[in-house]
Amino acid sequence: MSFQSDTSDPLVAKAVELLQAFDRDAVERDKLGGRPTEQIRLLKESGLLSAQIPTRYGGRGASWLSILRVVREFARTDGSLAHLFGYHHLPLNLVLFRGSDVQRERLLRASAAGNFVWGNSGNAMSKTSSGRHIDNGWLINGKRPFSSGSHIADYIQISFENAEGERLTAAVPANRQGIVIEDDWDGIGQRQTGSGTVTFHDLEIADDELISSPAVPLTPYTSLTSLLQQSVLLNVFVGSAQGALEEGRAYTTTSSRPWIYSGVDKHTDDPWIKRQYGDLYIRTLAATELADKAARSLDEAFNQGPGLTHEDRGAAAINIATANLYAGEVGLAVSSEIFEVMGSRSATTANGFDRFWRNVRTHTLHNPAEYKKRTLGTWLLTGEFSVPAMYR
């Protein structure tokens, strides 16, 4: 196929190797949902989970271009594993961006040494968990939805509101008493991401486990977490489009039959099929190029560190928003239109081609394209960058 993976990058080469193992039962696991236990074991053994951690804490200091290409590689067969691997980096880098020197040294070094998996239960749009202060800490009760990765995590980022309604965040071991993983995720896609509910029953958190404070304002650098999230999603979309096109091509060339009125003996000789594949390939290739451009922009912003300016952060946000929008549209289009060129026999649960569309559809709904287009239009017309916030 024409989407060549850059295996000169050792991280991508390892992802290609893992992809072969993930692909063997991707369709079956998608149907089952639940926890990809064996796949997470392989991922931990690979060393990829600690690759992005800075070298001063025992990681490899990998670029975002490398990490996001790994996300994309996994999504070519399994959007859930791509999501879990990508989202693992959000709480990890929250510690890097907003943690104290002591927290960074303790948590990042331990994560690098143990190849920890990080999850989250801190959905900012659902104020459904609360905490009251006790001696040297907090007692947390309630729940949080959309807790991606919590079901396979070693460490988990949790959020809750205090009596004043302020949102506080902490990083704690996922197996701590008082944390209950409900395993109630029932999305149509991303079925193994564990993005359901986590419940807190008198969960105790020490004051020194809180990450920063609501009183500490975001800076352009510490607000990069939202751009990381958008970057992960867009690469899940691009990888899903690549995977759908690759599997569709294989099916078309081996199993599809020509339409009775096409006038050809082979399905692949039909001019309509040729034109449609050409169109899908062009759009997917364009989305791939935009994804790489966005990843390089993220690297440029990230590498500036705390001195990152509003303007440079804004320029990266525009590139990432552009890539995210186009990747979402292409992911939805390719994963749907591929059925038209494969034919009716392709639309079976045994084939599992529908997993690509379901995965992309599930995630694009979290980030309406309409509002992101308005953000881009505002910048194009006025030159103004958005104030950093969720999803931008």
Side-chain angles (χ1 to χ4, degrees), residues 223-239:
S223 71
L224 284 178
T225 304
S226 61
L227 298 189
L228 304 186
Q229 180 206 32
Q230 297 301 289
S231 297
V232 170
L233 293 180
L234 77 89
N235 281 281
V236 171
F237 303 156
V238 172

Side-chain angles (χ1 to χ4, degrees), residues 3 56 80 91 108 133 138 155 187 202 222 232 261 265 292 377 381:
F3 302 110
R56 63 184 179 276
S80 289
L108 297 183
H133 199 260
W138 295 81
Y155 254 77
D202 289 336
T222 59
V232 170
Y261 303 122
D265 295 326
D292 278 351
L381 293 172

Side-chain angles (χ1 to χ4, degrees), residues 51-360:
Q52 188 269 328
I53 295 173
T55 55
R56 63 184 179 276
Y57 301 116
R60 297 168 66 176
S63 70
W64 286 111
L65 179 63
S66 291
I67 295 297
L68 294 169
R69 282 177 168 175
V70 171
V71 171
R72 192 188 311 164
E73 201 68 38
F74 292 164
R76 288 166 79 157
T77 193
D78 192 325
S80 289
L81 289 171
H83 174 168
L84 290 171
F85 174 74
Y87 265 38
H88 151 83
H89 293 86
L90 305 185
L92 193 61
N93 278 271
L94 180 70
V95 174
L96 180 66
F97 293 145
R98 294 177 64 83
S100 66
D101 290 342
V102 171
Q103 287 173 330
R104 284 194 288 266
E105 180 66 30
R106 177 172 60 87
L107 292 172
L108 297 183
R109 188 166 294 283
S111 190
N115 282 308
F116 288 172
V117 179
W118 286 71
N120 79 85
S121 186
N123 185 270
M125 299 176 71
S126 301
K127 298 181 179 182
T128 50
S129 57
S130 61
R132 64 180 180 87
H133 199 260
I134 57 176
D135 291 341
N136 301 315
W138 295 81
L139 196 65
I140 315 302
N141 283 282
K143 61 184 180 180
R144 223 72 178 193
F146 295 110
S147 299
S148 297
S150 58
H151 64 328
I152 45 84
D154 297 300
Y155 254 77
I156 185 169
Q157 170 202 333
I158 72 158
S159 294
F160 60 94
E161 277 67 45
N162 63 16
E164 289 72 39
E166 297 172 314
R167 181 172 181 258
L168 284 75
T169 294
V172 299
N175 63 357
R176 178 170 293 177
Q177 184 175 351
I179 296 176
V180 179
I181 312 300
E182 300 292 352
D183 276 325
D184 59 354
W185 174 238
D186 65 348
I188 63 169
Q190 300 298 88
R191 290 178 171 173
Q192 290 201 308
T193 60
S195 300
T197 308
V198 171
T199 303
F200 309 116
H201 298 284
D202 289 336
L203 169 65
E204 294 186 16
I205 293 176
D207 281 332
D208 63 6
E209 291 178 314
L210 294 180
I211 306 297
S212 192
S213 161
V216 178
L218 284 175
T219 66
Y221 178 67
T222 59
S223 71
L224 284 178
T225 304
S226 61
L227 298 189
L228 304 186
Q229 180 206 32
Q230 297 301 289
S231 297
V232 170
L233 293 180
L234 77 89
N235 281 281
V236 171
F237 303 156
V238 172
S240 297
Q242 291 181 353
L245 191 55
E246 288 166 344
E247 292 195 14
R249 174 182 177 272
Y251 184 91
T252 296
T253 56
T254 59
S255 302
S256 294
R257 297 181 296 190
W259 183 236
I260 55 175
Y261 303 122
S262 65
V264 298
D265 295 326
K266 289 176 56 180
H267 189 58
T268 52
D269 288 338
D270 189 329
W272 164 48
I273 302 303
K274 293 177 179 179
R275 186 206 60 79
Q276 185 77 339
Y277 266 104
D279 178 68
L280 295 177
Y281 172 70
I282 290 168
R283 284 189 277 172
T284 304
L285 183 61
T288 302
E289 292 298 315
L290 282 175
D292 278 351
K293 178 181 178 181
R296 292 186 177 99
S297 293
L298 179 60
D299 272 324
E300 290 172 4
F302 180 83
N303 290 338
Q304 290 188 42
L308 178 65
T309 65
H310 174 69
E311 290 72 24
D312 287 345
R313 195 266 186 202
I318 291 299
N319 285 336
I320 292 167
T322 302
N324 185 290
L325 269 169
Y326 191 67
E329 292 178 351
V330 169
L332 288 172
V334 173
S335 59
S336 173
E337 293 175 25
I338 201 69
F339 286 97
E340 298 176 8
V341 287
M342 289 190 294
S344 59
R345 292 190 302 161
S346 68
T348 66
T349 56
N351 285 320
F353 299 132
D354 60 307
R355 73 190 190 279
F356 295 109
W357 180 85
R358 287 187 288 99
N359 289 341
V360 176

